[in-house]
């Protein structure tokens, strides 16, 4: 009989992970802080060509790019210069499960079947659960999704409940939990009990699956416009979207394309708080994921997270909840496209960022997702009102997460707020030192931290000096 207490299960974490993924992460470890990230991606992943075939065989990928001329025209109308870049979207809602996460799931589930696992298991409250369920159904594997769904009063957000419906519709068993530490414990216990494959969001298989998205964007723009886009805007949560897309762009030769992340600003709301859980209208793509995962990526459910966004981000922008609701409506009313909340986060940032650019430049919103039921803006706003959140029109700068949602009364009031990436880099360095428990840093570790933060060795040395002071 195994010890199934919280402490007992957690003490077997590494053993459970090794059995459920088929990766020995110790193979990539070096002394101290660093590990060989690229070796992990090479040896545990697939070539880009292999992934394209895996995805094509299950009708994933090769999604269209759609220009948004009416939203571009609105951006030019409110722009202070009268200019704005052309805005495009990569319509990932065309994937079988309705989001870009089908790319991650296609690769992970294919690998699980290749290794002989009978089922797959994932912990997510988001679109990834439906993506894994969809791919498991195609490959004839069992699927369990562990979902953080409710507060302590058993009240669930409409968006999360919609995702539960999608998972179950595609044949998955959904284990629903209230917010708190039992999510990871339950996930580990089920992995051990079932012997299923850990289809984690953060394995090399999953992140490599998103590389096709970046490569497709580069290829499609070259084919139609004879050049790469100037900016690719990516909704930033756990970092896999940024990481995979950026790696795909680089592999396709789009090395001059800027990679910009965007999150909904939920500062002040504690994401693991029972009281705060239902006082937000965005369950992903917000600062509660984006900032912690950028500054300490190995907080994930695998020993070494393959999603490491600070290695690739050129800029990180924040937008308000009310602004995203406005752009969601604008996409429907101006372009005839109803799409879900995550992609509309980066669309909101793109609307403003385009106004900093010239008419002949191009910016692409890297993903869309399906909408409907609880993901639509109306049930989200109704749910917010029921939870005591004030809904009003006005200046989004007056929005306070958890207190009100302020929808702009004019599109000129939509703004972007730069999150200081140097601050994030210093936090990442600080967290890396603390996690490793080291007091001295070698030259090799300084080089690793410079790569980890997309900075320089001098920047890392200065950051360490300031921490010591």
């Amino acid at each position: 009989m195994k010890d199934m207490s919280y402490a007992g299960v957690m003490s077997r974490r590494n053993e459970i992970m090794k059995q459920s993924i088929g990766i020995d992460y110790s193979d990539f470890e070096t002394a101290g802080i660093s590990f060989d990230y690229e070796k992990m991606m090479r040896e545990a992943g697939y070539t880009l060509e292999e992934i394209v075939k895996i995805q094509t065989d299950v009708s994933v990928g090769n999604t269209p790019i759609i220009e948004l001329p009416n939203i571009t025209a609105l951006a030019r109308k409110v722009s202070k210069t009268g200019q704005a870049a052309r805005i495009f979207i990569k319509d990932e809602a065309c994937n079988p499960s309705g989001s870009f996460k089908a790319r991650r799931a296609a690769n992970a589930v294919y690998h699980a079947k290749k290794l002989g696992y009978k089922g797959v298991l994932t912990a997510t409250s988001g679109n990834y659960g439906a993506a894994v369920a969809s791919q498991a159904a195609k490959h004839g594997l069992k699927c369990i999704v562990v979902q953080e769904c409710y507060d302590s009063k058993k009240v669930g957000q409409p968006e999360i409940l919609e995702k539960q419906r999608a998972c179950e519709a595609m044949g998955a068993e959904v284990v629903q939990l209230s917010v708190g530490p039992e999510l990871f414990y339950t996930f580990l216990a089920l992995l051990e009990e079932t012997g299923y494959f850990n289809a984690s969001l953060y394995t090399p298989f999953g992140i490599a699956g998103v590389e096709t998205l970046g490569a497709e964007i580069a290829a499609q723009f070259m084919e139609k416009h004879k050049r790469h886009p100037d900016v690719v805007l990516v909704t930033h949560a756990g970092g896999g979207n940024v990481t995979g897309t950026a790696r795909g762009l680089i592999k396709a030769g789009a090395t001059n394309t800027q990679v910009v992340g965007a999150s909904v600003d939920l500062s002040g709301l504690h994401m693991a708080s029972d009281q705060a859980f239902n006082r937000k209208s965005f369950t992903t793509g917000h600062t509660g994921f984006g900032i912690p995962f950028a500054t300490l990526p190995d907080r994930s459910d695998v020993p070494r997270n393959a999603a490491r966004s600070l290695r690739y981000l050129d800029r990180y922008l924040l937008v308000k909840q009310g602004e995203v609701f406005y752009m969601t409506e604008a996409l429907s009313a101006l372009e005839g496209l109803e799409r879900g909340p995550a992609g509309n986060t980066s669309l909101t940032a793109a609307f403003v960022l385009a106004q900093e650019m010239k008419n002949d430049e191009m910016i692409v919103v890297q993903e869309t997702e399906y909408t409907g039921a609880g993901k639509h803006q109306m049930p989200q706003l109704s749910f917010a009102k029921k939870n005591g959140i004030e809904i009003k029109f006005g200046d989004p700068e007056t929005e306070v997460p958890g207190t009100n949602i302020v929808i702009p009364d004019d599109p000129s009031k939509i703004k972007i707020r730069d999150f200081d990436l140097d601050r994030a880099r210093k936090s990442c360095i600080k967290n890396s030192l603390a996690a490793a428990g080291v007091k001295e840093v070698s030259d090799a570790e300084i080089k690793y931290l410079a790569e980890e933060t997309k900075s320089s060795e001098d920047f890392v040395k200065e950051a360490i000096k300031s921490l010591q002071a």
Side-chain angles (χ1 to χ4, degrees), residues 341-363:
N344 294 332
T345 297
S346 46
L347 176 60
T348 304
F351 177 75
V352 184
L353 182 58
Q355 296 171 44
E356 298 179 3
M357 301 165 67
K358 296 178 180 178
N359 285 352
D360 61 351
E361 294 181 295
M362 296 184 292
I363 183 169

Side-chain angles (χ1 to χ4, degrees), residues 88-239:
F88 300 77
I89 58 171
K90 177 77 163 147
D91 198 12
E92 288 292 285
C94 297
N95 282 310
S97 59
S99 80
F100 87 94
K101 288 181 178 174
R103 295 176 187 266
R104 280 170 134 160
N107 214 30
V109 175
Y110 173 88
H111 193 71
K113 186 168 185 179
K114 178 182 174 182
L115 295 181
Y117 287 86
K118 303 300 181 186
V120 290
L121 205 156
T122 186
T124 171
S125 63
N127 292 327
Y128 188 59
V132 172
S134 171
Q135 291 302 307
K138 280 183 174 287
H139 286 285
L141 300 184
K142 300 288 187 181
C143 178
I144 300 175
V145 176
V146 184
Q147 185 187 53
E148 196 173 56
C149 181
Y150 298 111
D151 63 13
S152 58
K153 297 177 183 178
K154 296 295 181 185
V155 176
Q157 296 184 14
E159 184 182 353
I160 295 178
L161 295 176
E162 159 59 23
K163 292 168 182 175
Q164 172 214 350
R165 180 206 64 76
C167 292
E168 290 180 336
M170 296 184 191
E173 176 186 349
V174 180
V175 178
Q176 294 185 307
L177 303 171
S178 57
V179 63
E182 67 267 31
L183 177 71
F184 193 41
Y185 162 78
T186 303
F187 178 59
L188 286 171
L190 284 170
L191 281 173
E192 189 172 46
E193 177 189 343
T194 61
Y196 285 1
F197 180 78
N198 176 10
S200 166
L201 282 161
Y202 303 114
T203 62
F205 323 116
I207 303 306
V210 189
E211 291 180 7
T212 59
L213 181 44
E216 278 178 26
I217 290 171
Q220 286 170 316
F221 269 83
M222 284 299 292
E223 182 179 359
K224 188 166 185 180
H225 304 287
K226 310 306 178 190
R227 67 183 183 89
H228 296 132
D230 298 282
V231 174
V232 172
L233 234 157
V234 187
T235 300
H236 182 29

Side-chain angles (χ1 to χ4, degrees), residues 419-428 453-455 459:
F419 185 79
D420 185 354
L421 276 179
D422 280 348
R423 176 183 164 195
R425 291 177 179 115
K426 289 175 183 176
S427 293
C428 180
T453 57
K454 200 177 183 180
S455 63
F459 178 90

Side-chain angles (χ1 to χ4, degrees), residues 3 229 333 336 392 409:
D3 179 2
K392 63 180 183 179
D409 53 16

Side-chain angles (χ1 to χ4, degrees), residues 35 78 297 336 356 365:
F35 81 106
V78 301
E356 298 179 3
V365 173

